[in-house]
Amino acid sequence: MAQSFDVVIIGGGPGGYVAAIRAAQLGLKTACVDDWRGSDGKPALGGTCTNVGCIPSKALLQSSENFEQAGHGFAEHGVRVKGLELDLAQMLKRKDKVVKASNDGIAFLFRKNKVAFFHGRGSLVKAGAAGCEVAVSGAQSETLAAKNVIIATGSSPRALPGASFDEKLVLSNTGALAIPEVPRRLGVIGAGVIGLEMGSVWRRLGSDVTILEALPAFLGAADEQIAREAAKVFAKQGLKIQLGVKITGVRTKGEVTVEYADAAGKAQSAVFDRLIVSIGRLPNTDGLDAGAVGLKLDERGFIAVDEQCRTNLAGVWAIGDVVRGPMLAHKAEEEGAAVAERIAGRKAHVDFNTVPWVIYTTPEIAWVGKPEQQLKAEGVEYRAGTFPFSANARARALGDTSGLVKFLADAKTDAILGVHILGPFAGELIAEAVVAMEFRGASEDIGMICHAHPSLSEAMKDAALAVDKRAINI
Ligand code: FAD
Ligand code: NAI
């Protein structure tokens, strides 16, 4: 007989596991079905984010930055390093350990909150007002009856036509996080978030990195001024980024040859030892049996949902990368928690305008709200205030002075419309702007708050004051 639950969640990534924990906290009988296996073949909760995304990439970004600093940064501080060596096997082992700690942490939280975990593939057998059924095919087959189903099946890397991932020469994010030796020549297709982060890791470890990007503009989603500054810093670091290219072919034979037309339309070819393809991701709907139960997908193949993450089927919800909106772990988490609240009869709201973005390069790039070019296009009257980290005492003490903070505020009400940062710990600093925007704060509010000295956060205060042309330190 089918086991019965109030909520069955398909997918144990940041969307699914947060939904499961919150649903259980709210007193709902909850199960989570996830099919991920770690390198040891055992179930590994946490989805893309924990296993081959956010967590391992940040572990390698930190390790490779330490290597770069020891090789090129410490001397300026009067710290001489002799006989510096890279132990890549240890670096990768440490990354795996960081991942495993997160996998185990989620399994612990499931036990603590009494979330029933089923390892295997979940598919929707039945859905509707009378109740839903999820079939689990794994080591054991199960059928789970549920009043509500939350689909949180995430996304997978998009391949270039004609160049499928072999994870040896042509790498997705999975292979890019586990290259066993530093490639001398590394090609990257796509100068998006993964391209910049993984390109940075391997450049710091010694690869000659070329990134080929289709769009003529660099980091189109970011504020143009920030993107321009970032492009200059990355070029100085040695990342070769070519914009406006059209890939015409990829051939592999011991090495990878990429044929492309450059921005001027001239045919080019480049040879690499490995090629990372990071050109976006596709929603995971295969195997869910969406068609059989009549689950509606949108024109781009994502599960179609309303603002509250309801699908077209009664009792069936969908969250995270498998639905519209930014493909970010914290967006998936917020949607997961919000859906659990709604199922429990409570109100919840996720505001996409205050979802922060962070790109973990050096310097980091972070933003929330609208970029200046969008305000201009929308005809919004705004005032801008910027402050460079070179004028911030803590940044100078750190030896990390590239970049700036930029505040954009409504010209009449002073409400903060966007905050954009390129600089040290931008990913931490942005939280202050998110809080201010959630509370409908004005730039003057940030300018009038006491910030510790010396701290990077003072650059936030000075940029906010600069909106009214009264920054103190510049
Ligand atoms: P996922 O994390 O993809 O989890 C879905 C889970 O469902 C997986 O375990 C999958 O195996 C399982 N599943 C799928 N179908 C089924 C089925 N039928 N039955 C059972 N299980 C199923 N985001 C950030 O916010 N910050 C970052 O720093 C960041 N870094 C990233 C770095 C890389 C290299 C990549 C690739 C992504 C990164 N992301 C980052 C994006 C982030 O990983 C995703 O937005 C996030 O994982 C989405 O969460 P999710 O729960 O929707 O799906
Ligand atoms: P992306 O959307 O960030 O970037 C893809 C890039 O590839 C774009 O610039 C696009 O113009 C380019 N592109 C597309 N087709 C191309 C082609 N044929 N030739 C050349 N360039 C092409 O996607 P990416 O980097 O694959 O990452 C996927 C998602 O994962 C991100 O959008 C982000 O949501 C998430 N992520 C988040 C991170 C973070 O928050 N720090 C880190 C890594 C990933």
Side-chain angles (χ1 to χ4, degrees):
M1 212 182 90
Q3 296 190 54
S4 292
F5 293 91
D6 294 317
V7 190
V8 171
I9 296 147
I10 308 179
Y17 84 73
V18 169
I21 292 169
R22 188 64 195 130
Q25 283 176 345
L26 289 163
L28 299 164
K29 192 177 173 207
T30 305
C32 180
V33 184
D34 185 80
D35 64 355
W36 203 287
R37 275 180 205 281
S39 46
D40 56 4
K42 296 196 177 133
L45 278 163
T48 302
C49 169
T50 304
N51 292 293
V52 292
C54 324
I55 304 306
S57 61
K58 266 78 258 180
L60 285 187
L61 278 155
Q62 186 59 51
S63 298
S64 60
E65 180 63 14
N66 290 351
F67 181 68
E68 169 126 312
Q69 286 302 320
H72 303 287
F74 284 0
E76 201 212 322
H77 293 262
V79 181
R80 288 205 206 125
V81 180
K82 277 197 187 137
L84 179 68
E85 262 182 68
L86 174 67
D87 182 349
L88 180 60
Q90 166 58 23
M91 201 177 272
L92 296 175
K93 208 164 116 191
R94 175 188 177 273
K95 177 236 358 174
D96 292 340
K97 219 171 128 190
V98 172
V99 167
K100 179 81 169 53
S102 294
N103 297 141
D104 293 348
I106 300 164
F108 163 78
L109 292 172
F110 273 15
R111 286 194 300 275
K112 181 182 158 198
N113 289 285
K114 301 196 171 41
V115 173
F117 171 52
F118 295 87
H119 187 252
R121 211 155 170 76
S123 55
L124 269 175
V125 181
K126 202 177 96 185
C132 310
E133 244 174 55
V134 172
V136 184
S137 57
Q140 288 165 321
S141 294
E142 306 266 355
T143 303
L144 312 178
K147 288 185 199 137
N148 290 275
V149 173
I150 306 176
I151 301 171
T153 47
S155 64
S156 299
R158 187 158 78 85
L160 265 178
S164 53
F165 298 115
D166 60 13
E167 303 299 2
K168 289 193 174 68
L169 292 175
V170 181
L171 314 173
S172 71
N173 54 297
T174 302
L177 288 158
I179 308 179
E181 76 282 341
V182 179
R184 195 167 61 78
R185 301 158 303 176
L186 177 67
V188 180
I189 312 282
V193 197
I194 295 179
L196 291 173
E197 290 188 354
M198 295 318 300
S200 294
V201 165
W202 293 105
R203 180 201 61 72
R204 292 169 191 164
L205 299 181
S207 296
D208 180 16
V209 178
T210 302
I211 307 183
L212 301 172
E213 164 61 44
L215 291 178
F218 177 60
L219 270 184
D223 182 88
E224 275 173 5
Q225 183 182 4
I226 296 284
R228 255 195 325 271
E229 290 303 316
K232 280 189 223 159
V233 184
F234 297 150
K236 228 165 126 190
Q237 290 172 353
L239 274 183
K240 294 177 208 147
I241 303 175
Q242 292 190 40
L243 302 174
V245 310
K246 187 173 181 335
I247 308 294
T248 49
V250 175
R251 282 179 286 120
T252 55
K253 202 174 175 199
E255 51 190 18
V256 193
T257 306
V258 178
E259 315 275 358
Y260 63 98
D262 66 17
K266 201 165 155 229
Q268 304 279 3
S269 103
V271 182
F272 303 110
D273 300 305
R274 312 251 181 178
L275 181 73
I276 297 173
V277 176
S278 47
I279 57 170
R281 299 178 62 83
L282 300 171
N284 288 333
T285 51
D286 281 359
L288 270 177
D289 244 354
V293 288
L295 181 68
K296 208 170 135 200
L297 306 184
D298 68 18
E299 61 288 349
R300 294 163 60 222
F302 291 82
I303 295 178
V305 287
D306 67 8
E307 265 188 8
Q308 301 205 323
C309 295
R310 288 174 206 276
T311 69
N312 65 313
L313 302 175
V316 182
W317 312 70
I319 58 171
D321 278 13
V322 78
V323 304
R324 84 285 173 264
M327 287 184 161
L328 295 174
H330 41 283
K331 175 264 191 182
E333 291 176 13
E334 292 307 309
E335 286 184 333
V339 166
E341 299 277 342
R342 285 172 198 135
I343 290 173
R346 297 177 169 211
K347 285 202 166 54
H349 179 62
V350 180
D351 182 358
F352 280 6
N353 195 41
T354 51
V355 172
W357 275 84
V358 182
I359 306 177
Y360 295 82
T361 43
T362 301
E364 291 181 355
I365 304 171
W367 73 87
V368 60
K370 295 183 180 176
E372 187 166 5
Q373 66 270 18
Q374 190 179 344
L375 296 179
K376 276 189 185 145
E378 290 173 3
V380 176
E381 285 186 38
Y382 66 92
R383 293 192 299 168
T386 60
F387 188 82
F389 281 102
S390 57
N392 174 273
R394 183 80 203 277
R396 284 199 298 265
L398 282 171
D400 214 346
T401 52
S402 53
L404 69 152
V405 178
K406 175 172 181 175
F407 267 71
L408 298 165
D410 187 280
K412 285 197 192 75
T413 65
D414 195 35
I416 301 168
L417 303 174
V419 176
H420 305 269
I421 312 172
L422 170 72
F425 296 102
E428 304 295 329
L429 293 173
I430 200 67
E432 181 179 16
V434 175
V435 172
M437 286 182 70
E438 274 289 337
F439 289 160
R440 304 283 178 268
S443 73
E444 191 185 25
D445 294 328
I446 300 288
M448 288 172 70
I449 291 172
C450 181
H451 288 67
H453 177 75
S455 72
L456 297 169
S457 71
E458 286 174 297
M460 297 287 282
K461 177 179 172 114
D462 264 314
L465 287 170
V467 170
D468 199 32
K469 299 194 174 24
R470 55 191 181 107
I472 300 292
N473 292 294
I474 199 154

